[in-house]
Amino acid sequence: MKKHILLLSNLIIIISIIIGFIGIVYRDTTAYQDLAEKHLENILSLSNKDISSHVEDAMTKPVMVSKTMANDEFLKKWLSQEPKNVGNDTYLKQLYNYLNTYRNKYGYTTVFCISAETGNYYYQDGLNKTISKTDEHDIWYYNFIKSGNEYDLEVDTNETKEDYITVFVNFRVEGSDGTLLGVIGVGLQVDSLGDTIYSYERDYGLSVHIINVMGAETSFKGDTDIFISEEELQKRVGITERLQLNQSETPIMQWYTSEGKRKCLITQYDKILGWYLVLEMDTSSISQVFQERVKSNVFFMLVALAACIVVSTSVFINCNLRIIKIENTDELTGLPNRKQFSKRYLAFLRKNRKTKKTLFMFDIDHFKDINDTYGHIFGNSVIAMVGEDLQHAIGKNGIAARWGGDEFFGVLLVGVDEAKQIMEQFMDSLKSEEKNESYHVTISVGISEVDEDLSMEQMVKRVDEALYHSKKNGRNQISIL
C-alpha cells in the first residue's frame, strides 16, 4: 500500500513538472519561476519538519532529565539541609555523586546545582563558586529566578569547562510550600548539537539558525554559528524587512531578495524549547540557471526534470521510511510496538527453531498510583527508563516490545532458568534507579517456555496467566508457567 502511494506521489510530481516545462516552452519563463519556487518550498518544508523533529528530540530528553532531578525528593531534602552542612564533606559528597551519576549516564558536559540559600554553585566535580549579583557571569541565575519560569534553555559560557559555549537547561527546585530551594540543570556543549545541524545543512544545501527567545539574559553577548539574535540573523541573511516571527508552531515561509539573490526563509517556534528554528535557502541561482537552459535547449530541460524526479523520489523515500519506523516503534521507549513485535515473533521462531526460547511479560507495580501521585510526565519518564534498561538487560538474547500502557512483552533465546536469571538482574537494576527517594521501580513478571506448537495468541495467554500469578501473590516477583 505504501509503495503504491509513493508511486502515485512520484507520478503526480512528474506530471506536474512536465506541465510546468510545457508552459515555459510555449508561454514564458515567469510561469516556471513560480513553479520552481513552489517546488523548492515543498522540499524546504520537508527538511524543516525533519530538522525540527531531530532538534526537539535531541533537547527534550535533557529537559525531562532536569525536570526529574528538580522533582527528586532526595535533592529537595539535601538543599533544605545544605546551609547547616556546608563544611560537611560527607554530606557534600552525596550531591557530587548524585550529579556525577546523571552526567555519566547521559554524557552531559556538566550537571550542576545551585543552592538558593547559600548561593553555592555545585557541579559533578565539586564546588565551583558562590554566585554573586556583582559577578557578571552570574546574571543568568538572577534573571532566570526573576522570570518566574519553571525552566528555560540558555546559551552561555561554561566556567567549569574552560568557558566553552554551552546550552544549559535550568530548572527551578521548590519545596512543598513553593519556597525556592535552588536551581538544577545540565549543560550540553553547543558543538555537539552543531555537528548534527551541520550534517543537515550539507544534506539539504541550506543554513540553519536558532533564536533563543525564552532563555534568560546571560553574560554571553555574542553569537555562535547556530545560536544568534534576531538582529544578527537579519544581517547575515541580508533581509531589510522585519522577520515574520510569532509563537505559533505553524511554520512561516518568507521570500525575499538580497544582493540580487532570491532566498527563502522558514521560521518555526518550538514552545517546549522556547526556540525559533530558522531555515534559509538561496534559490536564485537554481532558478536562473534552469531558466537559461529552458530558453536555449530542450535537452537540458529534460536533464533538470530527471534531477527533480530523483530529488523528489529521494525525499519521499526518506519520508516513507520515517513513517514506517514511526508506525512500528513505541515513541516513548524506542522499543518495537505490539504490531511490529507480532510480525517479528514468527520470523524469530523460524530463525531459532532448534534453540530453546522463553517468553516473558511484565508490568510496573502500582503504576496508576505513580501517575496519580507524581503526575503523567514522571510516569512517562519511568516507562522510558524501564524500556531503556530492558534493552540493556536482554542485549542480543532476544527481542522485546512495549505491549501497551505499562506492560512489556518479549522473547529470550534461552531456557526458562536462564531467562529467570536475566529478569532477576533486570529487576535489580530497576530498583537501583533513583527516580524518587521514597519510590523504587518494581515489576511483576510472568515467563513461560515457548511451545512452537502453540500460536502466538495461545502463548501470550499462557505468559499472561503467569504474570497474573505474580501480581496475585504480592507483586515484585517472577512466576513460571
Side-chain angles (χ1 to χ4, degrees):
M1 182 62 180
K2 289 184 174 65
K3 291 181 179 178
H4 293 159
I5 294 174
L6 179 61
L7 211 55
L8 181 60
S9 300
N10 283 325
L11 183 61
I12 292 172
I13 292 173
I14 293 170
I15 293 173
S16 300
I17 297 176
I18 290 175
I19 292 174
F21 282 127
I22 292 174
I24 290 173
V25 173
Y26 293 98
R27 295 179 181 88
D28 55 57
T29 58
T30 304
Y32 174 73
Q33 177 71 29
D34 296 335
L35 181 63
E37 289 188 355
K38 187 65 179 176
H39 184 62
L40 288 168
E41 285 179 1
N42 292 335
I43 296 176
L44 194 55
S45 296
L46 288 171
S47 61
N48 175 62
K49 291 178 183 178
D50 199 14
I51 297 172
S52 297
S53 175
H54 191 96
V55 170
E56 184 168 320
D57 288 347
M59 293 307 302
T60 297
K61 190 168 185 177
V63 171
M64 296 305 300
V65 170
S66 298
K67 184 177 181 70
T68 298
M69 291 190 293
N71 288 280
D72 194 328
E73 291 300 323
F74 160 78
L75 183 67
K76 293 181 180 182
K77 183 177 179 180
W78 192 95
L79 284 171
S80 65
Q81 297 178 1
E82 182 255 2
K84 60 184 179 182
N85 286 282
V86 170
N88 187 337
D89 290 341
T90 301
Y91 190 80
L92 296 176
K93 191 173 181 180
Q94 293 177 4
L95 179 67
Y96 302 150
N97 290 339
Y98 177 83
L99 300 177
N100 207 35
T101 296
Y102 276 93
R103 179 182 180 274
N104 291 336
K105 181 171 182 178
Y106 296 105
Y108 300 134
T109 302
T110 302
V111 181
F112 68 91
C113 177
I114 298 177
S115 168
E117 182 70 20
T118 64
N120 286 338
Y121 184 126
Y122 302 101
Y123 73 116
Q124 71 275 354
D125 293 329
L127 174 65
N128 176 38
K129 62 188 291 188
T130 299
I131 62 171
S132 169
K133 291 183 178 179
T134 61
D135 188 335
E136 184 183 25
H137 196 279
D138 298 335
I139 63 171
W140 72 268
Y141 174 82
Y142 301 100
N143 288 336
F144 170 55
I145 297 303
K146 185 179 178 180
S147 73
N149 292 331
E150 180 186 16
Y151 73 95
D152 75 357
L153 282 76
E154 301 170 346
V155 179
D156 203 353
T157 53
N158 189 344
E159 288 184 305
T160 69
K161 194 68 176 176
E162 300 177 356
D163 283 339
Y164 286 159
I165 306 301
T166 302
V167 181
F168 288 97
V169 180
N170 308 313
F171 243 97
R172 295 172 66 94
V173 183
E174 296 181 346
S176 57
D177 58 354
T179 304
L180 178 67
L181 299 177
V183 174
I184 186 117
V186 303
L188 297 84
Q189 201 162 315
V190 168
D191 292 346
S192 62
L193 180 62
D195 290 341
T196 301
I197 290 180
Y198 296 147
S199 69
Y200 277 105
E201 289 183 332
R202 292 191 299 270
D203 293 343
Y204 288 104
L206 45 77
S207 299
V208 181
H209 312 284
I210 295 174
I211 303 175
N212 181 17
V213 293
M214 183 177 127
E217 183 181 355
T218 69
S219 61
F220 178 69
K221 305 301 182 184
D223 298 293
T224 71
D225 290 341
I226 299 170
F227 290 93
I228 61 176
S229 64
E230 181 179 344
E231 294 76 16
E232 177 63 21
L233 175 61
Q234 289 193 233
K235 291 179 183 178
R236 289 192 189 183
V237 301
I239 184 172
T240 56
E241 60 265 33
R242 185 171 180 80
L243 291 174
Q244 297 180 20
L245 300 176
N246 63 52
Q247 293 196 350
S248 167
E249 292 189 86
T250 302
I252 297 176
M253 186 168 291
Q254 185 176 3
W255 285 94
Y256 68 97
T257 301
S258 174
E259 298 179 351
K261 295 181 179 180
R262 187 68 170 159
K263 295 185 178 182
C264 182
L265 283 183
I266 281 187
T267 59
Q268 181 174 359
Y269 182 69
D270 190 308
K271 65 180 181 180
I272 295 177
L273 306 180
W275 289 354
Y276 281 107
L277 185 67
V278 183
L279 273 62
E280 173 200 1
M281 177 179 280
D282 180 0
T283 65
S284 58
S285 59
I286 300 175
S287 299
Q288 291 170 2
V289 170
F290 194 85
Q291 286 179 19
E292 291 174 0
R293 291 181 178 180
V294 167
K295 294 175 183 178
S296 61
N297 198 306
V298 174
F299 172 76
F300 287 115
M301 288 191 299
L302 295 176
V303 172
L305 173 61
C308 290
I309 294 172
V310 170
V311 171
S312 301
T313 302
S314 175
V315 171
F316 275 95
I317 288 175
N318 289 334
C319 289
N320 195 47
L321 292 174
R322 185 174 178 84
I323 290 171
I324 293 172
K325 182 178 180 181
I326 291 173
E327 287 180 349
N328 292 312
T329 304
D330 175 59
E331 182 178 0
L332 198 57
T333 63
L335 292 170
N337 57 23
R338 187 170 185 165
K339 174 183 175 183
Q340 177 65 4
F341 182 87
S342 299
K343 293 179 180 179
R344 294 176 61 183
Y345 176 75
L346 294 177
F348 186 82
L349 293 189
R350 287 193 296 269
K351 182 179 178 181
N352 302 285
R353 186 176 298 277
K354 297 181 180 181
T355 307
K356 288 186 177 181
K357 297 167 285 293
T358 304
L359 282 181
F360 67 84
M361 177 182 284
F362 69 83
D363 63 16
I364 302 171
D365 294 335
H366 307 294
F367 186 71
K368 183 178 183 301
D369 294 340
I370 297 174
N371 277 336
D372 293 343
T373 303
Y374 303 104
H376 288 282
I377 292 179
F378 182 83
N380 285 345
S381 71
V382 170
I383 289 178
M385 178 269 290
V386 170
E388 183 178 348
D389 283 9
L390 177 59
Q391 292 185 72
H392 290 312
I394 66 175
K396 297 181 180 180
N397 289 322
I399 53 175
R402 184 181 176 193
W403 206 241
D406 63 314
E407 197 169 50
F408 293 78
F409 189 79
V411 58
L412 293 169
L413 200 60
V414 296
V416 170
D417 292 338
E418 190 173 346
K420 183 180 179 183
Q421 292 178 5
I422 292 173
M423 296 310 294
E424 286 174 343
Q425 292 171 1
F426 171 52
M427 293 169 74
D428 290 339
S429 72
L430 291 179
K431 292 176 185 177
S432 67
E433 292 279 356
E434 295 185 5
K435 300 301 293 182
N436 186 284
E437 187 183 42
S438 60
Y439 170 72
H440 294 282
V441 179
T442 63
I443 59 174
S444 298
V445 186
I447 63 177
S448 180
E449 185 173 346
V450 174
D451 185 343
E452 298 193 26
D453 293 331
L454 298 180
S455 67
M456 180 177 174
E457 290 75 16
Q458 290 171 315
M459 286 304 307
V460 170
K461 184 176 180 182
R462 176 183 289 186
V463 78
D464 188 46
E465 290 178 9
L467 170 58
Y468 174 75
H469 282 298
S470 293
K471 295 170 69 173
K472 184 178 179 181
N473 294 331
R475 296 184 169 87
N476 190 23
Q477 59 184 273
I478 300 173
S479 296
I480 302 173
L481 187 64

